[in-house]
């Protein structure tokens, strides 16, 4: 335990001690984990209320009004407001609490703002721990305000007992765009600023979408509030109390004891094949039924390509995306039906479909999605094994009945027999890393190709790397940042990214640099960059880039030529990145990632 704070002092209600304890946890200082562990026996009493929604919905103003109502009802309330952070510095303007200062001095209220520090999903990495702290101290209600960024902000689902989603009037198509994310986690939907035009329309839109929720223990309702005047706030407080009475408290504590951890919201829409396989394995190990939805055909402006997956477990938890948010609600419902009856089904969505207005598919777009139950025994185990070994494979499915064949470089297994022509076409699709319908198929045969995710190895945990790493991860790259300077290579500066503090020459020996790997050096220090470039040039990396001016690169070429690498130096992209004219770290990161993607799909132009 840290020497300047003790659990007894915190539990006594000392506000300075509570503030210091939050800082201890937020910054992961020595003693933080011990403190968090000591809170467990004191947790389980607070009602945690999560408040999320699009920017501009009025979350902070509504919380301020709700504080006044809860104070009048004799509640002790803690507020944790999570603010967005800069992808460059990690800092944030902690401004949410400015709108709550009316009640900040009240003895029964404690308000704290924290930075998301680059963590996706609407919360910070320490949110649940700070909520535990408020719970242990004895607050009756803990209000958690999320960042407010859109459909992926669903991590509050695993932290809060009651989830409130705010929607400003006149969201229109925005309602359609985010309904498969934050709207589907709502226990209470609130149209704030209800005195503005179009509020009534938004209420009707939300009420029409309530059928997407698969809840049996609570009926979701749409309330209207005007936070600036207090209209509707008492009714909202009543509904919060009713939800607590219906479902209880301690949701986050229950998740902590589950055999299957909740899916990280940061990965819901950008899940890699590895993420999907791992999560499906966890669900099945826990005895849960699982279905897999796959995009098999697209026309027009469909937002997700062929082969895109959405994995769904019987309780409705999901990972991945088949449309970027447009049709997930309908697909999840069908996936749960497939788990129940074991029958595969083909779904079609498009503007000509009667469901088009419900699913909000882009104008002119159409998509077909095949949904199948992942059977307890079968080819899926073999598929998981091949993917874990990073072996390229294709799962060929006959859409009519779900019969499948797993095709590898040298084998074919399964209940589906392929002709030599079909097998050759499947092998060609594996080589091209392209999923799609087999042209030689009798009936519809869909080949889903699984090739190891491309990898980006970055040398130097500098500001450009802080922007480049999450961008590359969102683009589907496995990212590894190498920097022996421990002050640079920290989880706080690179949240969710694999970081190595070994020297580059040692770290590169542990990494299999293959044709799916790109290497970028950013440290601007020859002691770090040169060993990595030597290893990359002696490998089959599809892309090699190095930060630095033309003059800097000329000196680099001279050094590497002395090492006998002169003939291969033309492989290095330097100055690194496409010439977009950008100067800021994030702009340079965009240019680098664009050039890496260009090299991957079009071949190295050098």
């Amino acid at each position: 335990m840290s020497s300047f704070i003790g659990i007894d002092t915190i539990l006594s209600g000392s506000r300075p001690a509570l503030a210091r304890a939050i800082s201890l946890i937020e910054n992961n200082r020595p003693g933080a984990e011990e403190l968090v562990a000591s809170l467990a026996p004191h947790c389980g009493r607070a009602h945690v209320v999560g408040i999320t929604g699009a920017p501009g919905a009025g979350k902070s103003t509504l919380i301020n009004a709700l504080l006044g109502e809860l104070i009048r009802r004799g509640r002790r309330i803690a507020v944790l407001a999570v603010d967005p952070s800069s992808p460059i510095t990690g800092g944030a303007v902690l401004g949410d609490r400015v709108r709550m200062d009316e009640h900040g001095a009240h003895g029964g209220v404690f308000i704290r703002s924290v930075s998301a520090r680059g963590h996706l999903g609407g919360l910070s990495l320490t949110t649940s721990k700070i909520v535990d702290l408020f719970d242990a101290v004895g607050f009756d209600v803990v209000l958690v305000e999320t960042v407010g960024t859109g459909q992926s902000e669903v991590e509050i689902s695993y932290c809060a007992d009651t989830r409130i989603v705010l929607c400003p009037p006149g969201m229109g198509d925005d309602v359609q765009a985010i309904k498969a994310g934050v709207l589907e986690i709502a226990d209470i939907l609130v149209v704030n600023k209800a005195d503005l035009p179009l509020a009534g329309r938004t209420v009707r839109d939300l009420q029409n979408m309530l059928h997407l929720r698969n809840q049996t223990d609570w009926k979701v309702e749409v309330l209207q509030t005007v936070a600036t005047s207090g209209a509707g706030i008492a009714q909202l407080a009543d509904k919060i109390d009713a939800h607590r009475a219906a479902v209880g408290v301690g949701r986050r504590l229950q998740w902590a004891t589950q055999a299957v951890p909740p899916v990280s919201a940061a990965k819901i829409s950008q899940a890699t094949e590895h993420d999907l396989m791992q999560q499906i394995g966890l669900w099945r190990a826990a005895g849960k039924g699982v279905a897999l939805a796959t995009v098999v055909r697209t026309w027009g402006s469909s937002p997700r390509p062929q082969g895109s997956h959405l994995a769904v477990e019987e309780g409705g938890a999901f990972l991945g995306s088949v449309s970027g948010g447009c049709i997930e609600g309908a697909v999840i419902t069908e996936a749960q039906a497939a788990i129940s009856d074991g029958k595969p089904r083909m779904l079609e969505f498009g503007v000509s479909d009667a469901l088009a207005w419900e699913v909000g598919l882009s104008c002119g777009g159409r998509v077909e999605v095949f949904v199948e139950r992942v059977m307890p025994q079968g080819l899926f185990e073999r598929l998981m094994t091949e993917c874990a070994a990073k072996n390229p494979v294709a799962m060929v499915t006959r859409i009519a009945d779900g019969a499948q064949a797993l095709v590898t470089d040298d084998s074919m297994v399964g209940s589906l027999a392929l002709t030599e022509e079909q097998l050759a076409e499947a092998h060609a699709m594996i080589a091209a890393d392209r999923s799609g319908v087999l042209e030689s198929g009798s009936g519809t045969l869909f080949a889903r190709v699984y090739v190891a995710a491309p990898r980006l190895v970055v040398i130097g945990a500098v500001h450009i790397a802080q922007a480049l790493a999450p961008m590359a991860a969102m683009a589907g790259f496995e990212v590894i940042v190498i920097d022996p300077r421990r002050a640079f290579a920290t989880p706080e500066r690179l949240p969710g990214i694999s970081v190595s503090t070994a020297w580059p020459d040692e770290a590169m020996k542990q990494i299999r640099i293959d044709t799916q790997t790109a290497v970028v050096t950013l440290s601007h220090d020859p002691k770090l960059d040169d060993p990595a470039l030597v290893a990359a040039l002696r490998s089959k990396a599809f892309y090699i880039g190095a930060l630095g001016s033309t003059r800097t690169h000329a000196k680099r070429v001279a050094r590497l030529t002395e090492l006998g690498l002169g003939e291969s130096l033309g492989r290095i992209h330097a100055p690194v990145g496409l010439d977009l004219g950008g100067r800021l770290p994030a702009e340079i990161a965009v240019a680098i990632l664009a050039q890496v993607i260009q090299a991957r799909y079009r071949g190295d132009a050098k």
Side-chain angles (χ1 to χ4, degrees):
M1 180 75 67
S2 174
S3 61
F4 68 90
I5 192 169
I7 184 65
D8 292 339
T9 305
I10 298 170
L11 297 180
S12 70
S14 168
R15 295 173 73 89
L18 178 58
R20 292 197 300 270
I22 295 173
S23 296
L24 183 78
I25 293 171
E26 184 183 11
N27 297 302
N28 196 27
R29 293 174 181 165
E33 290 303 319
E34 184 179 355
L35 171 60
V36 171
S38 70
L39 299 173
H42 308 280
C43 291
R45 296 169 294 177
H47 182 198
V48 182
V49 179
I51 299 178
T52 187
K59 295 187 295 296
S60 300
T61 304
L62 182 134
I63 289 175
N64 181 63
L66 188 57
L67 280 173
E69 179 62 27
L70 294 176
I71 290 170
R72 283 189 288 274
R73 298 185 182 201
R75 312 287 172 77
R76 293 187 65 220
I77 315 107
V79 179
L80 181 64
V82 184
D83 282 279
S85 55
S86 165
I88 308 303
T89 65
V93 178
L94 305 178
D96 284 341
R97 64 179 301 170
V98 171
R99 299 182 180 91
M100 309 174 199
D101 271 352
E102 178 183 347
H103 305 292
H106 190 280
V109 175
F110 188 96
I111 303 174
R112 179 65 175 251
S113 294
V114 297
S115 168
R117 300 193 179 187
H119 183 65
L120 301 180
L123 303 180
S124 70
L125 286 170
T126 58
T127 294
S128 186
K129 296 176 182 178
I130 297 173
V131 169
D132 284 350
L133 184 61
F134 287 144
D135 188 357
V137 168
F139 286 100
D140 303 311
V141 180
V142 179
L143 302 177
V144 180
E145 178 187 358
T146 72
V147 169
T149 55
Q151 68 177 13
S152 66
E153 192 171 302
V154 295
E155 200 161 290
I156 191 65
S157 177
Y158 308 110
C159 179
D161 302 308
T162 299
R163 291 80 55 95
I164 300 173
V165 177
L166 267 65
C167 303
M171 292 180 70
D173 288 341
D174 290 343
V175 170
Q176 306 287 358
I178 71 170
K179 73 177 183 182
V182 292
L183 292 186
E184 288 191 348
I185 70 168
D187 298 307
I188 303 171
L189 285 165
V190 176
V191 176
N192 192 30
K193 306 180 182 180
D195 55 339
L196 295 180
L198 301 180
R201 174 184 170 183
T202 302
V203 171
R204 290 192 297 273
D205 287 343
L206 293 172
Q207 289 173 334
N208 286 333
M209 292 189 300
L210 289 180
H211 71 280
L212 292 175
R213 291 299 309 276
N214 185 31
Q215 273 192 308
T216 59
D217 56 353
W218 176 255
K219 181 181 179 181
V220 181
E221 296 185 24
V222 182
L223 304 183
Q224 299 183 61
T225 61
V226 182
T228 52
S229 69
I233 298 300
Q235 291 82 357
L236 174 59
D238 289 341
K239 189 61 64 176
I240 291 171
D241 287 344
H243 187 258
R244 171 175 178 154
V247 304
V249 300
R251 178 187 297 268
R252 73 192 189 286
L253 305 176
Q254 294 170 12
W255 274 115
T257 62
Q258 293 291 316
V260 181
V263 178
S264 170
K267 294 182 177 180
I268 284 178
S269 59
Q270 291 88 27
T272 65
E273 288 170 5
H274 174 75
D275 296 329
L276 280 162
M277 296 299 174
Q278 184 180 54
Q279 188 61 52
I280 290 173
L282 289 171
W283 281 332
R284 294 183 63 188
K288 296 179 179 293
V290 182
L292 190 64
T294 307
V295 176
V296 297
R297 292 181 191 267
T298 63
W299 296 265
S301 58
S302 175
R304 295 287 285 164
Q306 288 179 314
S308 298
H309 277 324
L310 174 70
V312 182
E313 62 97 4
E314 60 189 40
F318 65 94
L319 185 66
S321 174
V322 289
S323 73
C326 300
I327 62 175
E328 268 70 7
V331 174
I332 289 169
T333 298
E334 292 293 335
Q336 290 175 301
I339 294 170
S340 177
D341 61 27
K343 298 178 181 179
R345 55 254 288 149
M346 177 69 80
L347 312 176
E348 181 176 337
F349 302 94
V351 294
S352 60
D353 195 305
L355 294 176
W357 70 274
E358 292 184 12
V359 302
L361 196 62
S362 304
C363 181
R366 192 153 58 99
V367 60
E368 286 184 353
V369 180
F370 181 68
V371 182
E372 59 184 322
R373 180 180 179 181
V374 178
M375 302 306 291
Q377 301 295 330
L379 291 182
F380 193 77
E381 282 76 6
R382 175 71 180 273
L383 174 61
M384 291 182 67
T385 300
E386 297 290 349
C387 290
K390 297 188 176 182
N391 296 326
V393 298
M395 182 72 85
V396 182
T397 303
R398 186 164 58 207
I399 300 302
D401 59 7
Q404 294 180 316
L406 185 67
V407 179
T408 67
D409 286 340
D410 55 6
S411 69
M412 180 182 67
V413 295
S415 60
L416 177 63
L418 299 179
T419 66
E420 289 187 7
E421 184 181 7
Q422 292 165 353
L423 186 59
E425 189 175 355
H427 281 139
M429 296 175 77
I430 292 173
D433 188 12
R434 178 179 60 85
S435 300
V437 175
L438 294 182
E439 297 298 332
S440 56
S442 54
T444 301
L445 297 180
F446 180 77
R448 176 47 162 98
V449 173
Y450 298 86
V451 176
R455 182 167 44 186
L456 176 63
V457 179
V458 179
I459 311 301
V462 295
H463 283 172
I464 296 174
Q466 285 183 275
L468 175 61
M471 289 181 188
M474 292 180 67
F477 285 80
E478 175 190 350
V479 183
I480 303 172
V481 177
I482 301 170
D483 197 323
R485 300 170 296 184
R486 296 180 181 273
F488 285 74
T490 66
E492 290 76 19
R493 299 186 75 244
L494 294 160
I497 302 298
S498 296
V499 177
S500 171
T501 55
W503 282 89
D505 54 345
E506 298 175 357
M508 296 287 277
K509 291 178 182 178
Q510 306 300 319
I511 300 173
R512 184 174 67 177
I513 308 297
D514 55 18
T515 56
Q516 289 287 97
T517 305
V519 179
V520 175
T521 62
L522 300 177
S523 78
H524 227 288
D525 185 342
K527 297 192 299 298
L528 302 180
D529 289 348
D530 285 4
L533 290 171
V534 169
L537 290 168
R538 291 173 176 169
S539 74
K540 296 181 179 180
F542 75 84
Y543 176 89
I544 304 171
L547 183 68
S549 64
T550 302
R551 179 179 300 179
T552 297
H553 186 56
K555 295 178 181 178
R556 179 187 296 126
V557 167
R559 294 193 303 272
L560 296 177
T561 299
E562 292 180 2
L563 298 176
L565 296 169
E567 294 184 0
S568 60
L569 293 179
R571 295 175 61 194
I572 302 177
H573 293 78
V576 68
L578 298 180
D579 185 7
L580 303 181
R583 298 181 180 181
L584 299 176
E587 295 172 337
I588 297 172
V590 170
I592 294 172
L593 183 57
Q595 192 173 59
V596 170
I597 293 173
Q598 182 186 67
R600 183 181 178 221
Y601 288 110
R602 298 184 182 177
D604 197 326
K606 297 185 77 67

